[in-house]
Amino acid sequence: MIRTAGIISKPIRERICDVVPPLLQWLSARQIDVLFDEETRGCLGFGPEGMSRAALGAKIDLAIVLGGDGTLLSAARAIAVHDVPILPVNLGALGFLTSVTLDELYPLLEEILSGKCHTSVRMMLDAEVRSNGTSSGRKCALNDAVANKGALARMLDFDVYVNQDHIGRYRADGLIVATPTGSTAYSLAAGGPIVDPELDAFVVTPICPHMLTNRPIVIPGSARIDLDFAAAEEPVYVTLDGQTGFQLKAKDRVTITKSAKRVTLVRPNKAYFEILRSKLRWGER
Amino acid sequence: MIRTAGIISKPIRERICDVVPPLLQWLSARQIDVLFDEETRGCLGFGPEGMSRAALGAKIDLAIVLGGDGTLLSAARAIAVHDVPILPVNLGALGFLTSVTLDELYPLLEEILSGKCHTSVRMMLDAEVRSNGTSSGRKCALNDAVANKGALARMLDFDVYVNQDHIGRYRADGLIVATPTGSTAYSLAAGGPIVDPELDAFVVTPICPHMLTNRPIVIPGSARIDLDFAAAEEPVYVTLDGQTGFQLKAKDRVTITKSAKRVTLVRPNKAYFEILRSKLRWGER
Amino acid sequence: MIRTAGIISKPIRERICDVVPPLLQWLSARQIDVLFDEETRGCLGFGPEGMSRAALGAKIDLAIVLGGDGTLLSAARAIAVHDVPILPVNLGALGFLTSVTLDELYPLLEEILSGKCHTSVRMMLDAEVRSNGTSSGRKCALNDAVANKGALARMLDFDVYVNQDHIGRYRADGLIVATPTGSTAYSLAAGGPIVDPELDAFVVTPICPHMLTNRPIVIPGSARIDLDFAAAEEPVYVTLDGQTGFQLKAKDRVTITKSAKRVTLVRPNKAYFEILRSKLRWGER
Amino acid sequence: MIRTAGIISKPIRERICDVVPPLLQWLSARQIDVLFDEETRGCLGFGPEGMSRAALGAKIDLAIVLGGDGTLLSAARAIAVHDVPILPVNLGALGFLTSVTLDELYPLLEEILSGKCHTSVRMMLDAEVRSNGTSSGRKCALNDAVANKGALARMLDFDVYVNQDHIGRYRADGLIVATPTGSTAYSLAAGGPIVDPELDAFVVTPICPHMLTNRPIVIPGSARIDLDFAAAEEPVYVTLDGQTGFQLKAKDRVTITKSAKRVTLVRPNKAYFEILRSKLRWGER
């Protein structure tokens, strides 16, 4: 039962002013209250006061996210703890995650209200940094956790462990640990496989490995992955979903596990592979 | 409780005459009966009469397979229906599957008899050929089912479906559907990822795809994969584990699913990744 | 000075009857005689008697080839010895080699007659098979010479030499030796680089190498490449441009060198990279 | 005629004190003067005063470089302008460039003095940065010029031109322009081909391209390559040989051409492919 919907949009004023008012009207005609995050409210210029995304997530039964994959990723991380279904609508180019077009928005909302919509539940990952054994923070990601070298550095030496077993010493620009959702993002660019979003698994993809036999590995979602940079002679940077990042301190270790949080995406009645085909142009010659 | 062991060896006379007699003595000293498949018995030249591998599988509690990965693959397909644990011992170069050396054979046998050995259960796949909707045979494989073009043909056009969803039209030399076990065999050579053997999944790897965006895909082991070669203008060949093969007839379709059969490998107390590191030389510079 | 033009077309009756009569009229209005190869003449159903492509090449000042890359490759091999410029016109989908559209045909013919057209000279390769040191035939190719295993075989072991230096023992499905022109054909599908057609070089690309460090190599066009299959336990097949092939006999060696023949392609005033971008869709998101 | 040799070593005190004194004695016994760069002289602790590498290059007939590929690269860039032959001796692990072992040092010196040694001349590249059309500096490299994004940035959009022709808009982590010598360094890790050092060519290899069809390209050494980052929304960094780098300013363009400088390496009588085989372990199973 959808009583309150939250709207989170990429802050493009013209697009918001174009898309949001009719959406408000449509929802209001169906007795659905609408809330905004601060940025969207700021761009729109009217309506109920905006609130932080974290607060927003606690008060809504459906999040309508307008934008591209980047907008969805940051919205998902912010509200995932509340397990609110997300309807991701692309405002521009087709995304892997935001495959719903504006034309499909209202038909899909109808389906959602009638309880008939399709959803896809996506696992997230947690990356925890430990300094001398003490956790110095944990962050979650829908796509990937990436460790890499600085722009002017040459390469990193690091060790990877899966469930305490030593996978190997890598010499590479860095390493990507991706969820199935993230397998079509940066990991794909680095040579990783596409992983069906239903699979409970991680992809561990080295970035430009100097040892040519270091190939992407797919491991169970139940695994614990430890990255040890003690052998690295250069600063190491970690990013989540390519959006939030930080520099490790010497001797820091990064532990990656499946998150307790997850994301429920409302999706049009298109097969996953249909989106893949469109995005990667598999249908064409 | 091991009462009867079967010995299946690569038919290299000198190796068999070297390795098998002391093994017989060791087993006999522990009141364990030994049976052979026909070829091994023929090479050895003495002992109880050999029998077909299928018959052998029904009478033994443990299969000791001597040889390389090729010997193991054919033995596994032959006896998998009986779900007998297999102890694979390499007689030559280290294999991904036959990582047990002769030095480790007797200590491992001790562990097996005391019920303390480690095992790894591996999924198999079934490939069924359908002509006009009628099944014309089903074969199983531990590593992979491969469809490819003839040596003098140019390329194949074919369609791949996962659970009836159209993944895409491929233009390639062929396609590999591999189990996790097979992910380190031919699929790896064709650019596929390494998949942890514990994962319940298939890897679908195109061979030399002319569409450069056709990348390997990892899908759930519960999926049904259909290969449709109606668009192919050249003869199509299918092989299982690279060992048994046949030519498709026009309009034949191939359906690949997880097999009800599976293989239980006795393994030394080495992590999977340790074998990977040795085989792919990840440990070295 | 163009006195006689030869027309070689892909034998698609409707396309020929559509395209050729106005072309004949256009050429005849400019006092240019036209000759056909047998197949084109057969499809067209009127005009001067057709002749073999080899004979045709000796009598013409310009070859107009209508079709796709496949038609061009076979026409080029047949007439290359006469060094006649070729105007390749695609009748269907854009090809790497046949990038001239029907719309561009007449403007380009004008340019050719006025001596102002752009051309691109392409190297060819010769592949010579030697049995016990004796040559048993030499064939040329514009794209590539490919050695590979049969469809039901597992892999080939073979040795590659460059100028008598041993590059290495390969274990793979086969090997591609491509000219720069061929670098965007099969070699690209097998993971090879794109090589600028102006470069005097070969690309040596393994097909599904089991040794993951076996990477494509680019070597000078002056090099002599020897493929030795003495270690192969399976039959070996060799194809030229994916169009003509044969099976090697045991102990045969294949020697590949730059051919004395070459192909001069008339091309529209498009940069090479423009064609590349269109074919590989580099311009799009 | 070798009258004066320069010694440039990786500054590892124990190795220098081990290797250099007998080398001095050997050279002195043959009336060859020896000069040092400052760092080597500092580590050694005795001998004639050290001088800058640039000054050293002007006074010597042979440079003996002790260390790994990194030491050679920086020494080569410093003295290349003087076209002095370089004898690169590895002090540790075999390098692609420093394939001469200490055991081979004296036999090779004998060959050099008798004028019989083999050499390999390697092209270098120049990278010039232009701000608003004005050059703000030019640097040379023996291996490669690399443009890439910062560690926390997402990706770069940039345009590449070859001889003013637009190759395409790239979306990637960065781009490598490598000489044949550099083709076995970072470019190989990023998926580039191996290029024979005798070939006059560049390899242009994208780093983690988001457009999967963006493949490595090999272009003539005579080409001018322009990188335009006007479309990039993130800072761009350029490094030469992975050793010296700088950050571009907005609107800067980078132009890469073959350098007038080149490096002459003295090499043992091993084929290039022999070194390749050893380094990449092609000889092993």
Side-chain angles (χ1 to χ4, degrees):
Chain A
M1 183 73 197
I2 310 290
R3 293 228 168 81
T4 309
I7 296 181
I8 296 175
S9 177
K10 187 170 181 180
I12 310 175
R13 193 178 166 75
E14 315 86 81
R15 301 296 279 141
I16 287 182
C17 292
D18 217 38
V19 173
V20 172
L23 179 56
L24 280 178
Q25 208 173 332
W26 193 96
L27 292 166
S28 149
R30 282 154 186 84
Q31 280 75 49
I32 296 171
D33 291 336
V34 174
L35 296 173
F36 298 100
D37 74 328
E38 285 155 352
E39 211 171 15
T40 308
R41 172 62 181 74
C43 258
L44 184 63
F46 67 89
E49 200 173 349
M51 60 185 76
S52 75
R53 290 179 174 188
L56 182 71
K59 297 184 192 252
I60 58 179
D61 309 305
L62 173 72
I64 302 173
V65 175
L66 306 165
D69 282 2
T71 309
L72 177 69
L73 289 168
S74 65
R77 287 198 312 278
I79 68 172
V81 72
H82 303 293
D83 204 4
V84 176
I86 297 177
L87 172 57
V89 182
N90 76 67
L91 288 186
L94 174 69
F96 276 110
L97 294 169
T98 51
S99 64
V100 178
T101 63
L102 279 172
D103 286 349
E104 295 167 321
L105 169 58
Y106 294 100
L108 259 177
L109 280 171
E110 297 277 16
E111 284 184 30
I112 292 168
L113 296 191
S114 63
K116 280 190 266 174
C117 68
H118 297 261
T119 57
S120 176
V121 177
R122 302 298 177 91
M123 70 174 269
M124 299 182 83
L125 62 78
D126 282 338
E128 183 162 30
V129 177
R130 290 159 190 270
S131 302
N132 297 317
T134 321
S135 169
S136 65
R138 171 187 289 233
K139 301 203 174 193
C140 77
L142 176 53
N143 264 353
D144 48 35
V146 176
N148 63 2
K149 67 173 189 67
L152 300 178
R154 290 186 61 201
M155 72 186 88
L156 293 178
D157 285 307
F158 54 92
D159 292 279
V160 180
Y161 297 81
V162 171
N163 296 330
Q164 323 278 6
D165 281 338
H166 189 215
I167 284 193
R169 164 74 54 96
Y170 286 73
R171 170 166 285 187
D173 279 8
L175 189 85
I176 303 163
V177 178
T179 64
T181 298
S183 72
T184 50
Y186 190 28
S187 174
L188 193 65
I194 294 162
V195 178
D196 189 298
E198 280 183 37
L199 210 67
D200 181 28
F202 291 111
V203 195
V204 179
T205 306
I207 306 169
C208 297
H210 285 240
M211 206 171 298
L212 302 182
T213 56
N214 275 140
R215 294 279 284 263
I217 302 181
V218 184
I219 58 174
S222 58
R224 165 187 163 151
I225 302 162
D226 285 285
L227 313 182
D228 180 344
F229 297 97
E233 294 172 5
E234 304 276 359
V236 179
Y237 300 84
V238 173
T239 50
L240 285 307
D241 288 345
Q243 295 186 330
T244 99
F246 47 93
Q247 185 179 339
L248 294 189
K249 289 192 290 292
K251 312 281 174 188
D252 282 359
R253 284 172 77 111
V254 180
T255 299
I256 293 161
T257 50
K258 182 159 66 171
S259 180
K261 300 179 207 165
R262 43 185 217 161
V263 172
T264 301
L265 299 177
V266 179
R267 62 180 185 76
N269 194 4
K270 277 177 207 163
Y272 171 70
F273 293 116
E274 202 174 321
I275 297 161
L276 200 65
R277 269 208 319 276
S278 304
K279 278 292 293 180
L280 298 179
R281 304 191 168 281
W282 282 12
E284 300 171 20
R285 275 296 127 75
Chain B
M1 183 72 197
I2 310 290
R3 292 228 169 81
T4 310
I7 295 180
I8 297 176
S9 176
K10 188 169 179 181
I12 310 175
R13 192 176 167 76
E14 314 86 80
R15 300 297 279 140
I16 288 183
C17 292
D18 218 37
V19 173
V20 172
L23 179 56
L24 280 178
Q25 208 172 336
W26 193 97
L27 291 166
S28 148
R30 283 152 186 86
Q31 278 74 48
I32 297 169
D33 290 336
V34 174
L35 297 173
F36 298 100
D37 74 328
E38 283 155 352
E39 211 171 15
T40 308
R41 172 63 182 74
C43 257
L44 183 64
F46 68 89
E49 201 172 349
M51 61 184 75
S52 76
R53 290 177 174 190
L56 182 71
K59 295 183 194 254
I60 58 179
D61 309 305
L62 172 72
I64 301 172
V65 175
L66 306 165
D69 282 2
T71 308
L72 177 69
L73 288 168
S74 66
R77 288 199 311 279
I79 69 172
V81 72
H82 303 294
D83 204 4
V84 176
I86 297 177
L87 171 57
V89 182
N90 75 66
L91 288 186
L94 174 69
F96 276 109
L97 294 170
T98 50
S99 64
V100 179
T101 62
L102 278 173
D103 285 348
E104 296 167 321
L105 169 57
Y106 293 99
L108 258 177
L109 279 171
E110 296 278 16
E111 284 184 29
I112 292 168
L113 295 191
S114 63
K116 280 191 266 173
C117 68
H118 297 260
T119 58
S120 176
V121 177
R122 304 297 178 92
M123 69 175 269
M124 300 183 82
L125 61 78
D126 281 338
E128 183 161 31
V129 177
R130 289 158 190 272
S131 303
N132 296 316
T134 322
S135 169
S136 65
R138 171 187 290 233
K139 300 203 175 192
C140 78
L142 176 54
N143 264 351
D144 48 35
V146 176
N148 64 1
K149 66 174 190 68
L152 299 179
R154 290 186 61 202
M155 72 187 90
L156 293 178
D157 286 307
F158 54 92
D159 292 280
V160 179
Y161 298 82
V162 171
N163 296 331
Q164 323 277 6
D165 282 338
H166 189 215
I167 285 194
R169 164 72 56 94
Y170 286 72
R171 170 165 285 185
D173 279 9
L175 190 85
I176 303 163
V177 178
T179 64
T181 298
S183 71
T184 50
Y186 189 28
S187 174
L188 192 66
I194 294 163
V195 178
D196 188 296
E198 280 182 37
L199 210 67
D200 181 27
F202 291 110
V203 195
V204 179
T205 306
I207 306 170
C208 297
H210 285 242
M211 206 171 299
L212 303 182
T213 56
N214 275 140
R215 293 280 285 264
I217 301 180
V218 184
I219 58 175
S222 58
R224 167 187 162 152
I225 302 161
D226 284 284
L227 313 182
D228 180 344
F229 297 96
E233 293 173 3
E234 304 277 359
V236 179
Y237 300 84
V238 173
T239 49
L240 285 309
D241 288 344
Q243 295 186 327
T244 98
F246 47 92
Q247 185 178 338
L248 294 189
K249 288 192 290 291
K251 312 281 174 189
D252 282 359
R253 285 173 75 110
V254 179
T255 299
I256 293 162
T257 50
K258 182 160 65 170
S259 180
K261 301 178 205 164
R262 42 184 218 161
V263 171
T264 301
L265 298 177
V266 178
R267 62 180 185 76
N269 194 3
K270 277 178 208 163
Y272 171 69
F273 293 114
E274 200 174 323
I275 297 161
L276 202 64
R277 268 207 319 277
S278 305
K279 277 292 292 181
L280 298 179
R281 301 191 168 281
W282 281 12
E284 302 172 19
R285 276 295 127 75
Chain C
M1 183 73 197
I2 310 290
R3 292 230 170 79
T4 309
I7 296 180
I8 296 175
S9 177
K10 189 170 179 179
I12 310 175
R13 191 176 169 76
E14 314 86 79
R15 301 295 280 139
I16 287 182
C17 294
D18 219 38
V19 173
V20 172
L23 180 55
L24 280 178
Q25 208 172 335
W26 192 97
L27 292 165
S28 148
R30 280 152 187 87
Q31 280 74 49
I32 296 170
D33 291 336
V34 175
L35 298 172
F36 297 100
D37 75 328
E38 283 155 351
E39 211 172 14
T40 308
R41 173 61 183 74
C43 257
L44 183 65
F46 68 89
E49 201 172 348
M51 61 184 75
S52 75
R53 290 177 174 191
L56 182 70
K59 296 183 193 254
I60 58 180
D61 309 305
L62 172 72
I64 302 172
V65 175
L66 306 164
D69 281 2
T71 308
L72 178 68
L73 288 168
S74 65
R77 288 198 311 280
I79 69 173
V81 71
H82 303 293
D83 204 5
V84 176
I86 297 177
L87 172 58
V89 182
N90 75 67
L91 289 185
L94 174 68
F96 276 109
L97 294 170
T98 51
S99 64
V100 179
T101 63
L102 278 173
D103 286 348
E104 295 168 321
L105 169 58
Y106 294 100
L108 259 177
L109 280 171
E110 297 278 15
E111 283 184 31
I112 293 168
L113 296 191
S114 64
K116 280 189 264 173
C117 67
H118 297 259
T119 57
S120 175
V121 177
R122 304 296 178 91
M123 69 175 269
M124 300 181 82
L125 61 79
D126 281 338
E128 183 162 31
V129 177
R130 289 159 189 271
S131 304
N132 298 317
T134 323
S135 170
S136 65
R138 171 187 291 234
K139 298 202 175 193
C140 78
L142 176 53
N143 265 351
D144 47 37
V146 176
N148 64 1
K149 66 175 190 66
L152 300 178
R154 291 186 60 202
M155 72 187 87
L156 293 179
D157 286 306
F158 54 92
D159 292 279
V160 180
Y161 298 82
V162 171
N163 295 331
Q164 323 278 4
D165 281 337
H166 188 216
I167 284 194
R169 164 74 56 95
Y170 286 73
R171 171 166 285 187
D173 279 8
L175 189 85
I176 303 163
V177 178
T179 64
T181 298
S183 72
T184 51
Y186 189 27
S187 174
L188 193 65
I194 294 163
V195 178
D196 188 296
E198 279 182 38
L199 211 66
D200 181 27
F202 291 110
V203 194
V204 179
T205 306
I207 305 170
C208 296
H210 285 241
M211 206 172 298
L212 303 182
T213 54
N214 275 140
R215 293 281 286 266
I217 302 180
V218 184
I219 57 174
S222 59
R224 167 187 164 153
I225 302 162
D226 284 284
L227 313 181
D228 179 344
F229 296 96
E233 294 173 2
E234 305 277 359
V236 179
Y237 300 84
V238 173
T239 51
L240 285 309
D241 288 344
Q243 295 187 328
T244 99
F246 48 92
Q247 184 178 339
L248 294 190
K249 288 192 290 290
K251 314 278 175 191
D252 281 0
R253 285 173 75 110
V254 180
T255 299
I256 294 162
T257 50
K258 182 159 66 170
S259 180
K261 300 178 205 165
R262 43 185 219 161
V263 171
T264 302
L265 299 177
V266 178
R267 63 180 184 76
N269 194 4
K270 279 177 208 162
Y272 171 69
F273 294 114
E274 200 174 325
I275 296 161
L276 201 64
R277 270 207 319 276
S278 305
K279 277 292 293 180
L280 297 180
R281 302 190 167 282
W282 281 13
E284 300 172 21
R285 275 294 127 75
Chain D
M1 182 73 196
I2 310 290
R3 293 231 167 78
T4 309
I7 296 181
I8 297 175
S9 176
K10 188 170 179 179
I12 311 174
R13 193 176 166 76
E14 315 86 80
R15 301 297 278 140
I16 287 182
C17 294
D18 218 39
V19 173
V20 172
L23 179 56
L24 280 178
Q25 207 172 335
W26 193 96
L27 292 166
S28 148
R30 282 153 187 85
Q31 278 76 49
I32 295 171
D33 291 335
V34 175
L35 297 173
F36 298 101
D37 73 329
E38 284 155 353
E39 212 172 14
T40 308
R41 173 60 182 74
C43 258
L44 184 63
F46 68 88
E49 200 173 349
M51 59 185 76
S52 74
R53 290 178 175 189
L56 183 70
K59 298 183 191 252
I60 58 179
D61 309 306
L62 172 72
I64 302 172
V65 175
L66 307 165
D69 282 2
T71 308
L72 178 68
L73 289 168
S74 65
R77 287 198 312 279
I79 68 172
V81 71
H82 302 294
D83 205 5
V84 176
I86 297 178
L87 171 58
V89 182
N90 76 69
L91 289 185
L94 174 68
F96 276 109
L97 294 170
T98 49
S99 64
V100 178
T101 63
L102 278 173
D103 285 350
E104 296 167 321
L105 169 58
Y106 293 101
L108 259 177
L109 280 172
E110 298 277 16
E111 284 185 30
I112 293 168
L113 296 191
S114 63
K116 278 190 266 173
C117 68
H118 297 259
T119 58
S120 175
V121 177
R122 303 297 178 92
M123 70 175 268
M124 300 181 84
L125 61 79
D126 281 338
E128 183 162 31
V129 177
R130 289 159 189 271
S131 304
N132 297 317
T134 322
S135 170
S136 64
R138 171 186 288 233
K139 299 201 173 193
C140 78
L142 176 53
N143 264 352
D144 48 37
V146 176
N148 63 1
K149 68 173 189 67
L152 300 178
R154 290 186 61 201
M155 71 187 88
L156 293 179
D157 286 307
F158 54 91
D159 292 279
V160 180
Y161 298 82
V162 171
N163 295 330
Q164 322 278 4
D165 282 338
H166 188 215
I167 284 193
R169 164 74 54 95
Y170 286 73
R171 171 165 285 186
D173 280 8
L175 190 85
I176 303 163
V177 179
T179 64
T181 298
S183 72
T184 50
Y186 189 30
S187 174
L188 192 66
I194 294 163
V195 178
D196 189 298
E198 279 182 38
L199 210 67
D200 181 27
F202 290 111
V203 194
V204 179
T205 306
I207 306 170
C208 296
H210 285 240
M211 204 172 299
L212 303 182
T213 55
N214 275 141
R215 294 280 285 265
I217 302 181
V218 183
I219 57 174
S222 58
R224 167 188 163 152
I225 302 163
D226 285 283
L227 313 182
D228 180 343
F229 297 96
E233 295 172 4
E234 306 276 359
V236 179
Y237 300 84
V238 173
T239 51
L240 285 307
D241 288 345
Q243 295 187 327
T244 99
F246 49 92
Q247 184 179 339
L248 293 190
K249 288 192 290 291
K251 312 282 173 186
D252 281 0
R253 284 173 76 111
V254 180
T255 299
I256 294 161
T257 49
K258 181 159 67 170
S259 180
K261 300 178 207 165
R262 43 185 218 163
V263 171
T264 302
L265 299 176
V266 178
R267 62 181 186 75
N269 194 5
K270 279 178 206 162
Y272 171 69
F273 293 114
E274 200 175 323
I275 296 161
L276 200 64
R277 269 208 320 275
S278 304
K279 279 291 293 179
L280 298 179
R281 303 190 166 283
W282 281 12
E284 300 172 20
R285 274 297 128 75

